[in-house]
Amino acid sequence: MRSVELEARFPGVTQDDAYARIGDFARYSSLVAAVRRVTVHPAAQPGQLHSDWEVDFRNGVLSWSEADHFDDERRLISFAQTTGDFETFTGQWGVRTDGDGCAVRFGAKFDFGLPSLAGIIDPVAERVLRETILGILDGLLGTGPVSTDGIRVGT
């Protein structure tokens, strides 16, 4: 299974504001060209959503549905694919106060379930995911983070 993790700091953006903006998945397609569509469906229980995603990938489109869980107290959003093009896709957004602003952490693990193509597809997926997340954060929280620390990709 492959993973991508990054943390970015945003001065002047409060933890609560960042958390609310990150949780507005329906806006993502207006922020980054690679995100074609996100359809959000309310779940039966508070703090939960279901969302359907379409994202450009190489010469095609990745599609999946996920269950999203919001922990407002801890400012964490966890997600797990329920159906779609990945064999496994899970992750989490976390927001915390950092000085006069906030720090946003994103982490995801994924597996396409194609071991024979993993050496070709996985590095491209890591790059696309990282670039897409940084683009989303830039669009949601301002003109770009002051710093991005702890960026890590790999197995």
Side-chain angles (χ1 to χ4, degrees):
M1 188 169 310
R2 305 291 285 197
S3 65
V4 174
E5 295 181 20
L6 66 90
E7 183 170 298
R9 291 175 175 74
F10 294 88
V13 179
T14 69
Q15 171 185 338
D16 291 340
D17 194 28
Y19 178 74
R21 291 183 198 184
I22 290 166
D24 188 4
F25 299 145
R27 287 190 57 204
Y28 286 19
S29 63
S30 68
L31 301 173
V32 178
V35 179
R36 289 181 169 216
R37 180 180 6 211
V38 181
T39 305
V40 175
H41 311 278
Q45 300 199 343
Q48 297 182 12
L49 297 175
H50 294 283
S51 52
D52 302 320
W53 296 74
E54 293 181 9
V55 176
D56 288 334
F57 180 69
R58 298 187 69 179
N59 296 323
V61 178
L62 283 175
S63 300
W64 71 93
S65 296
E66 63 185 44
D68 306 297
H69 301 276
F70 292 75
D71 182 340
D72 296 341
E73 187 175 313
R74 294 175 51 213
R75 307 302 189 279
L76 296 173
I77 303 169
S78 301
F79 60 89
Q81 176 187 276
T82 55
T83 62
D85 291 335
F86 297 93
E87 183 171 292
T88 304
F89 183 46
T90 62
Q92 187 175 73
W93 292 90
V95 183
R96 64 177 169 76
T97 298
D98 185 72
D100 69 340
C102 69
V104 176
R105 183 166 189 78
F106 174 85
K109 293 181 180 182
F110 65 92
D111 186 350
F112 285 102
L114 303 168
S116 62
L117 297 176
I120 298 168
I121 294 175
D122 288 357
V124 175
E126 289 170 356
R127 180 182 50 80
V128 169
L129 184 57
R130 180 177 173 270
E131 289 172 359
T132 300
I133 295 303
L134 287 173
I136 287 167
L137 288 172
D138 184 35
L140 289 172
L141 303 177
T143 59
V146 163
S147 66
T148 52
D149 297 327
I151 295 175
R152 189 173 51 202
V153 296
T155 57

